[in-house]
Amino acid sequence: MRLLVTGGAGFIGANFVHQTVAEHPEVHVTVLDALTYAGNRASLDPVADRIEFVHGDVTDAALVDGLIARSDAVVHFAAESHNDNSLADPWPFVHTNIIGTYSLLQAVRAHDVRYHHISTDEVYGDLELGEPGRFTEDTAYNPSSPYSSTKASSDLLVRAWTRSFGIRATLSNCSNNYGPYQHVEKFIPRQITNVLDGVRPKLYGNGLNVRDWIHVDDHNRAVWAVLERGRIGETYLIGADGETDNRTVVESILEILGRDRDEFDFVTDRPGHDLRYAIDPSRLRDELGWRPRYVDFRAGLEATIGWYRDNEQWWRPQKAATEAAYAAAERGSGPEHRVRPAGSVRVPPGPRVARFREYPAH
Ligand code: NAD
Ligand code: TDX
């Protein structure tokens, strides 16, 4: 099988490639990644001689068409993925998440290639704190942020292309991932590396927001289950019963690293901050027999902390710029402030719209 993996230099994509090389050695992997601030070639170093790497953009229709023409399947991870960045500058999210998905869908349609779409539970909005109820595949879409609304938009494109054009697609919507190779802008790596640097972790608002944590390897095994055995046109929610509030996560990180549990600060809340996510993974378990292997979140967190302690050379180059961007956002500087680190890719709308119009008719 020739498998195209978009976004394979990012957090989940890189872990997916590692897992695929180890557990599906018969698969030939090609990674397509634009290497934005979030992509890191070094994340693929351990498998560099086992895969093909293409440096390019998923919105580049000609490139995507050529790569898909020689693939049997594509798993589409590439996205702008950070909510805080989407609040500072939504355009790259519209560009990559919506137009990039469109570009892939047109190519899989033209070449009848199997497509799996990676999405998020955030398309469903949020749940109340302290109330029962979890997201299911039937929950209505109600996204809160520019990030989640562009992911929701891309999901809807996939569903429409499946129904109208008969593409062979599946979708999965997963909860918050943790594990190695996650960018230090995200909550868990940010706080681990802060504590390692002797800096107090930062909790948004009152720290009571709940996320449903899943280890990235469990997510990726679920993706393989859907790719191999999922029903075409179907959506599968992925979650591992990992509901934990942010304060508990920070206190655990401090404790594991030998600090006092109260050595953190509350900072200004994220605008529109979703309160709680929770996944009902019944369909995935019942239909496809998937089960998480990391059932003890604390143990998974300890292993992840160990990875960041042992791999400072991987995260150190990103750390100062990421924290500087957060500091600028916290100061609430004018419209030019960016949570994304300096030097990251920002695409001006004009030229991209021009290229979008040049898509070949299918
Ligand atoms: P990430 O930000 O770590 O990685 C994204 C990757 O995509 C990077 O390597 C980046 O260079 C690449 N990329 C960005 N724009 C591109 C473009 N235009 N063309 C080609 N490559 C491009 O993201 P992640 O956390 O690994 O998330 C991967 C996918 O999983 C996303 O679709 C995200 O919405 C989804 N997801 C993430 C989580 C989570 O907890 N991180 C949970 C559920 C779903
Ligand atoms: O410094 C912080 N302090 C803090 O309290 C940061 C960076 C975050 N938070 C809070 C906000 C959230 O409640 O921690 C929680 C997790 O934040 P993020 O890591 O930014 O993740 P979230 O916004 O929940 O979205 C993540 O999960 C769903 C991924 O970034 C998305 O790509 C995915 O779709």
Side-chain angles (χ1 to χ4, degrees), residues 9-12 33-34 36 39 57-58 77 81 96 119 147 151 175 177:
F11 162 47
I12 305 176
D33 199 295
T36 69
D57 197 308
V58 289
F77 289 95
S81 69
T96 287
S119 193
Y147 162 68
K151 290 298 291 185
S175 57
N177 285 220

Side-chain angles (χ1 to χ4, degrees), residues 254-269:
L254 285 162
E255 206 171 64
I256 293 165
L257 285 169
R259 313 299 300 229
D260 290 340
R261 287 167 64 88
D262 61 359
E263 285 182 26
F264 63 82
D265 293 321
F266 291 112
V267 297
T268 313
D269 206 358

Side-chain angles (χ1 to χ4, degrees), residues 42 59 170 173 197 199 210 215 280 360:
T59 64
T170 42
N173 296 72
D197 275 351
V199 173
V210 169
H215 193 277
D280 176 353

